[in-house]
Structures are given as C-alpha cells and as structure tokens.
Amino acid sequence: MADSEKTFRYQAGMAPPEPPPVEARRLLCPHCGAAVDLLLPGKSETVRCQKCLSILEPEHAALKLREAYNEQFPHRLWIPLGREGILDGIKYKCVGMVVREDEEHARWSEYLLFNPYHGYRYLVESYGNWTLVEPHPGLGLDAKGYPVLWGSSANIRLAGKKFRYYSHYRARIVNIIGEFPWRASIGETNEITEYINPPYQASCEQVIQYLDREGNPVDIAALMAAEHGNADAQHSDDEEKILSRIIRKRDLRQRTTEIHWSVGQYKYPEEIKAAFQLDELPPKEAFGMCEPNPLRTRFWLSLAITALLSLVSCASCVYAINNAEQATVLEKKFILNTAEFELKREGDTDYLEFSFEPGEIILPKETNVEFDLKSLLEQQWLSLNIFMIHSESGAGYIYDAELSRYFGVSDDGESWSEGSETTSLTTVKMPPGKYNLYAIGATNVGIYEFKQNLKLFGESASGMAQQLLGPRLRGATQQGMRGVVLPQNFAGKENSPKLELTLRVTRDVPILDWLFPVFLWLIGWNIFYLVRYRSKEKER
Amino acid sequence: MRELWRMYIYLPLTLFVTGFCLYGLIHQKGGQKPLQAEKLDIKSIRKNPTAFRTTHLPYIFRGGK
C-alpha cells in the first residue's frame, strides 16, 4: 500500500474519535528541581526526570524520589516523549521508553504508547525493525488463572493464530525514560519466550522468583554477582551456568510469580515514520523477527506456476501421444547363421561382419521412425548400421545401434552385469516415401566356432591349420579388402551358432524425452526459491 | 503481482524453457540424426553385399571422400 493511501485511510474513515483530554501536569523533580511533565497523571507509577534521570513516584500533587541519579540519558529517543501518532487507526501518545538487553548484550527499545480508549501498547524497535505489541493479560491462563501455555519447546495457538517457537532468553532492563504505569526499575530481569507467525509475534514474559529451602525469596541477582565477584558479570555468556550452579548449590526453587502475554504485529519503518511524523529512523540492520519474508510469496508463486506448467506439460504429453500414429510397420525375428558371416580384424579385435535385409517400410507423411532391437546375448556384443534407402531418390540414411551384455562376479563375491539385450533408437523426421531397410552388423557372437571351422574347412585347412588367421587375414583387412569367409557348404554348417535378432519398426512416435528437462528445470526452479526463502528465514 | 514482477529473470526463463520443450514434444523435434549417403541402389547392394561392405561402406563413413 502506498504511503498516500495509508494517510488517506487514517484521515478519512478509520480515525478514532477524539480522546477525552488527559491534562499533563507539570511537577518538580525533588532531586534536581527541574520541571517534570507528568503526561498521564493518575496512571503513572514511575516517572523519570529527564534532566538528572532520577526515578520518581507521583504522590498526590508532588513527586517522590525513589532512586537518585545524576547523569545524561545515553540512548537516542527516535520517537520523542509526548509525540502523537496514528497506528492501525488508533491515535497513540508516546509516554516512555525502556531499553533492554539479552544475555548476549543485544539491545532493543520498547516505546510505551498510550491511548485513553485502548490502553497501553509497546512499539518495539530492534535493529531498525518495528513491532506494535498489545498486551493480552488473560492469554496463556486457564479458567482458574494458572499458566497453561508457556515454555520453550512447543508451538502454540494464541488469539486465533498459530505461532511457532522462536526463542527463549533472559531480558534485563538497561535504562528507562518517561513514565510508566508500574514500578519500573533498572536491572529488572524477566524470562521471555517468543513465538512467531510473521507478521505476528507472541511473547510470554515471566517474572521468576527464587526461593530457598524455607520458602523465603532470595535475591538471585545479588547471589549471581557475588558468585562472579562482579555485578556486571552476571550477564556474561556463562550466566546460565552460574545460575544453574547457584540453584544446585543452594537448593533453590523457582516460582513464576507473573506471566504477561502479548501479541505483536510487524510494522514497516515507513509506516512508523509517517505515523509519528519523524524525520529520521534507525537504519535497518537485520531482518526482523516477525518481518514478513518477501521470498515466501515468491516461493509459493513458483510452486503455483510449477503446478500450472506441470498440468500444461501433462496435457501436451497426452496431446502428443494421441496425435502420434505409433503404427508398427515391421516386426521380424531374424535367425542368422554365423557360419555365413565374414571374419574381420580391427586392431587386435577379431569380429564377424554380416549383412541382411529386414524388409521395406512406407512412410505416408514426414515422420520419425523408431527401431527397437532385441538380441539374446551372453558376454557378447552386437553393432548394427541400419540403412534406410529411399526407393525413389536413392538417398540413404544410416543409423547405428549397439547391444551388449556382460555379467560376472567380482573379486569380493558380488555379481555384476552391464549392458542390455534391448535397445531403441528414434530417428529425426524422415521424408515420406517407401524405404528399403538394409542392415550391416558386426558381432563377436560365434566367433570362436567360426575360427574352429576355419581351421577345419577354410582355405588354409590343407596342411596349413597351424598358421590359422596369420598375416593373410591381417593384411587383407588392413587394406580394406575382403575378410575371411567359410566355404558355402562345409559339413556341420547348420550346427554353427545362430545370432537371433528381433527388429520392430514403428513410425510416427512421440518423443517424450522433452518432458525430462521441463520437470528438471521446474524442480530446480522451486528448489532455488525454497533455498532463498529458507536462507532469508535464517536471517531472523 | 508485485512479487511476480520481482521474478523477472527466472519466470520468463522458466516459461521459455517450458515452452521450448513442449514445442519440441508436440512437433516431434529431436531424434537421432542419420549419416547420409546418396545414390544407393538396393538391387546393386543385394547383388554383391560383400563388395558394398568392403568398398562402399568405408567410403560412406568417410563422408563420401
């Protein structure tokens, strides 16, 4: 929402009725004699003199000194005392400020706001982030007034909202200025448990009293200071350990004397600036505890878009499948006798070369073709060049396919296998027409038997078997000449190993591989936004 | 809507990748590209397949050189 719209909303419809006048009263500080303006006479129990910082108590028409100080207020008041501003349509007056810090010395400011109809609110400023907090005294108590919702390990439901546990720490009041409706004092320590559901937060503030064996309250701060030998050391990093040690040593019991629940809502700095007409605000140094994560929306948007694109992809897939003819135009099983193959050598590898003619196919339109090959192989390989020869133009399109299957047992006794007895290849779109298929293959199926037969029945069999496949074969193949073939009708030819090959040709098939990169991209896209969202959450 | 605009790099990229792939899916783009040869005659090949394998095939695989 633009600032101008906000201003319009505040001014036009939702501005509260004018509150009854609460007249400020000017009194004198009993310590330094300076004038002290009591903004809420009759409501405030603690007032601090802005000149000497003595803590005072209003009593009838005068101020009574509670704690004398003589120093300057060292913290900056971003919202001046007495300044009025409208937040969520309610006009508040800033009447005080509390500076607190946790065990790790992280500090924040709590501005006390007052509206005569709506009571007190806290405007918490922490590292440039603002939260408007409303006390809910009844929350977290059961019908008998006992605490039911507190602790640091659970998520809670409060004021109709779900909150998740955020942190638990001990907060100490470092300084105060202005006036307060309770007996505020510096050094007061409370246990705070915070829950968040951005832009909301819930806080449970507990005042814990420590009792000795007889049930008498003990001054834990004094004990901790004594334990450490230094009053300031009680807020060191070892505070928890010191406290545990004192409790264990003195057998102390803890008693929660007060529980204050409050629910807050994050406010953007621009809203605070406009509401209180401020010229300057503290710089935003961190991501707010209950600040809405802008990447959350982007993550959910990416999920929604992914769902939409997945639907579109599935619909496209169905369309592609339904529109593809997927007609099997050839399906044959070939049993080839390896005795009719030709022995060749490439490098140190002997193999058998063969060719056969699977048949012819017709493509009525420009479309792709899928070849599915299957062969029973055991520690064998098979390589095929499939020729599609256009009967009219004489154009030849050559595709290659390979099959191999090896298996065994490794040294550590585990069985292994690689390769497959089946393979498939899909061509690009081919021009329409009639095609003659021709296949040229190479394999090691039956090569041992081929060589044995060559010994027995080959050209060199008569007295030259010992020179089997000698320089004659190598010389011939290296020169690109014919390899070695067996005689056409030698005895036992029919017993030679057979190469079984099944070929199925399908025309017009959908190429669904396109879906893989789509889904890969979409998953990656979502992971990218999820990681960014989670990284931002960690900045809280 | 403001957050949609802030996804100005990845959203168009996602739409492009998805659109490109779905176009390929619908139009059957892709598939193995063949090695091409000209003036092949199945009848001649049938007559002397060995000669075709030993003479013509290396010539085709060399790219017709």
Side-chain angles (χ1 to χ4, degrees):
Chain A
M1 192 185 288
D3 285 345
S4 60
E5 288 174 319
K6 283 178 200 161
T7 312
F8 176 77
R9 182 162 66 91
Y10 297 146
Q11 288 175 347
M14 299 184 69
E18 279 296 312
V22 180
E23 287 182 13
R25 190 178 294 169
R26 178 159 287 188
L27 301 170
L28 295 177
C29 172
H31 185 60
C32 68
V36 177
D37 288 327
L38 195 58
L39 298 172
L40 304 172
K43 289 187 176 294
S44 300
E45 285 191 27
T46 305
V47 187
R48 202 158 195 206
C49 172
Q50 292 188 41
K51 190 172 182 191
C52 66
L53 292 188
S54 293
I55 297 177
L56 313 169
E57 272 183 34
E59 199 175 70
H60 307 299
L63 293 171
K64 187 178 128 191
L65 180 67
R66 194 198 303 161
E67 287 179 54
Y69 284 86
N70 200 2
E71 56 190 51
Q72 294 276 319
F73 190 66
H75 308 283
R76 178 161 178 180
L77 268 163
W78 294 98
I79 304 174
L81 295 177
R83 178 69 63 91
E84 289 182 334
I86 298 172
L87 281 172
D88 294 341
I90 299 169
K91 191 174 187 179
Y92 294 104
K93 180 186 276 187
C94 178
V95 296
M97 186 187 80
V98 180
V99 180
R100 302 173 93 178
E101 71 172 15
D102 64 10
E103 300 101 318
E104 293 169 353
H105 304 290
R107 289 190 177 182
W108 66 95
S109 307
E110 295 178 1
Y111 293 87
L112 186 64
L113 308 179
F114 179 75
N115 174 282
Y117 294 109
H118 296 88
Y120 288 95
R121 300 283 187 275
Y122 297 96
L123 187 59
V124 182
E125 184 274 313
S126 175
Y127 295 98
N129 292 292
W130 298 82
T131 311
L132 182 64
V133 178
E134 181 181 352
H136 280 266
L139 286 179
L141 302 175
D142 65 13
K144 292 178 182 174
Y146 290 110
V148 289
L149 286 175
W150 63 281
S152 58
S153 59
N155 297 339
I156 59 168
R157 182 184 284 273
L158 208 61
K161 296 178 181 67
K162 283 181 184 171
F163 292 91
R164 65 183 154 91
Y165 168 74
Y166 178 71
S167 66
H168 179 84
Y169 56 91
R170 186 173 290 116
R172 186 177 76 103
I173 293 179
V174 176
N175 221 324
I176 58 172
I177 191 78
E179 55 191 83
F180 306 91
W182 68 89
R183 283 178 62 86
S185 60
I186 294 168
E188 190 182 303
T189 305
N190 294 339
E191 299 268 342
I192 297 177
T193 309
E194 286 180 323
Y195 302 84
I196 58 167
N197 178 7
Y200 301 101
Q201 69 158 84
S203 301
C204 175
E205 203 165 320
Q206 299 170 67
V207 180
I208 294 177
Q209 196 175 41
Y210 293 87
L211 306 172
D212 61 14
R213 286 174 197 159
E214 284 76 40
N216 300 317
V218 295
D219 186 350
I220 195 71
L223 287 174
M224 286 179 74
E227 181 79 12
H228 225 282
N230 180 353
D232 290 335
Q234 64 174 309
H235 296 289
S236 71
D237 291 339
D238 295 322
E239 191 190 10
E240 286 292 332
K241 288 180 185 171
I242 294 169
L243 183 62
S244 305
R245 196 160 60 235
I246 293 170
I247 291 171
R248 204 169 47 247
K249 199 160 70 178
R250 293 179 173 263
D251 195 17
L252 300 180
R253 284 180 291 121
Q254 294 181 45
R255 189 174 70 182
T256 303
T257 54
E258 290 175 44
I259 293 182
H260 301 286
W261 278 93
S262 55
V263 176
Q265 185 178 6
Y266 185 83
K267 297 288 171 195
Y268 287 96
E270 303 79 41
E271 198 175 343
I272 300 298
K273 199 173 181 180
F276 289 94
Q277 295 159 5
L278 303 173
D279 297 328
E280 206 181 350
L281 282 180
K284 200 167 177 298
E285 295 175 33
F287 188 56
M289 181 183 78
C290 60
E291 182 178 353
N293 189 338
L295 291 164
R296 179 188 163 90
T297 312
R298 268 176 255 181
F299 169 64
W300 284 109
L301 269 173
S302 74
L303 268 186
I305 292 166
T306 295
L308 187 68
L309 292 179
S310 299
L311 269 177
V312 172
S313 301
C314 290
S316 303
C317 184
V318 170
Y319 175 82
I321 290 170
N322 286 341
N323 271 285
E325 187 187 5
Q326 299 185 76
T328 301
V329 286
L330 184 84
E331 188 163 16
K332 277 186 186 172
K333 185 176 183 182
F334 302 92
I335 301 174
L336 307 172
N337 193 336
T338 58
E340 294 172 359
F341 292 178
E342 190 172 348
L343 181 65
K344 286 201 169 181
R345 173 171 287 178
E346 192 170 310
D348 292 332
T349 308
D350 292 337
Y351 62 93
L352 297 178
E353 193 176 81
F354 61 97
S355 56
F356 66 102
E357 208 176 328
E360 59 183 39
I361 60 169
I362 295 171
L363 303 182
K365 60 173 185 179
E366 187 185 55
T367 183
N368 60 11
V369 177
E370 185 181 79
F371 293 94
D372 292 303
L373 289 157
K374 184 180 178 187
S375 181
L376 296 173
L377 300 172
E378 289 186 358
Q379 319 290 14
Q380 290 158 331
W381 60 271
L382 168 66
S383 173
L384 271 186
N385 285 306
I386 301 169
F387 285 66
M388 290 180 69
I389 301 169
H390 199 277
S391 59
E392 288 172 20
S393 66
Y397 304 91
I398 307 154
Y399 295 95
D400 58 274
E402 287 188 1
L403 286 166
S404 66
R405 185 163 171 259
Y406 291 93
F407 50 86
V409 179
S410 64
D411 292 340
D412 49 2
E414 287 193 19
S415 58
W416 59 271
S417 69
E418 61 181 34
S420 169
E421 291 180 331
T422 59
T423 191
S424 174
L425 76 91
T426 307
T427 71
V428 291
K429 279 188 173 180
M430 305 292 293
K434 183 177 156 189
Y435 288 88
N436 290 298
L437 300 183
Y438 190 73
I440 296 176
T443 184
N444 66 347
V445 174
I447 192 162
Y448 175 76
E449 291 81 358
F450 191 96
K451 287 179 180 175
Q452 293 300 317
N453 287 330
L454 203 60
K455 277 185 192 175
L456 297 171
F457 308 107
E459 291 175 57
S460 59
S462 55
M464 295 180 69
Q466 71 281 8
Q467 295 177 21
L468 170 70
L469 309 177
R472 175 188 168 83
L473 172 63
R474 283 197 294 275
T477 51
Q478 279 167 3
Q479 290 164 31
M481 295 168 67
R482 288 182 55 184
V484 177
V485 292
L486 282 165
Q488 283 295 306
N489 293 307
F490 66 91
K493 177 185 175 182
E494 62 276 6
N495 295 325
S496 294
K498 309 292 185 298
L499 174 65
E500 286 188 21
L501 184 65
T502 305
L503 174 66
R504 189 176 65 199
V505 184
T506 313
R507 73 183 177 209
D508 196 7
V509 292
I511 300 177
L512 302 180
D513 296 352
W514 285 108
L515 288 177
F516 179 70
V518 172
F519 286 113
L520 196 67
W521 178 275
L522 291 177
I523 289 167
W525 192 51
N526 280 287
I527 289 174
F528 171 75
Y529 275 108
L530 178 64
V531 167
R532 285 188 67 191
Y533 163 58
R534 297 298 292 267
S535 304
K536 193 74 184 171
E537 281 294 305
K538 283 180 186 170
E539 290 176 23
R540 288 190 194 282
Chain B
M1 196 64 195
R2 189 178 59 184
E3 293 302 322
L4 262 179
W5 283 115
R6 285 183 179 168
M7 300 160 83
Y8 62 92
I9 293 176
Y10 297 102
L11 182 56
L13 213 55
T14 299
L15 292 175
F16 172 76
V17 170
T18 310
F20 179 79
C21 292
L22 294 187
Y23 179 85
L25 173 73
I26 290 168
H27 292 87
Q28 291 181 330
K29 296 287 177 190
Q32 190 175 315
K33 285 182 181 170
L35 186 68
Q36 291 194 38
E38 292 175 355
K39 296 175 185 172
L40 292 181
D41 181 16
I42 190 69
K43 287 175 189 167
S44 308
I45 296 169
R46 262 183 218 140
K47 273 182 194 166
N48 196 349
T50 306
F52 178 70
R53 291 203 307 264
T54 54
T55 312
H56 286 89
L57 204 56
Y59 175 77
I60 292 168
F61 286 151
R62 283 199 304 270
K65 293 172 186 173

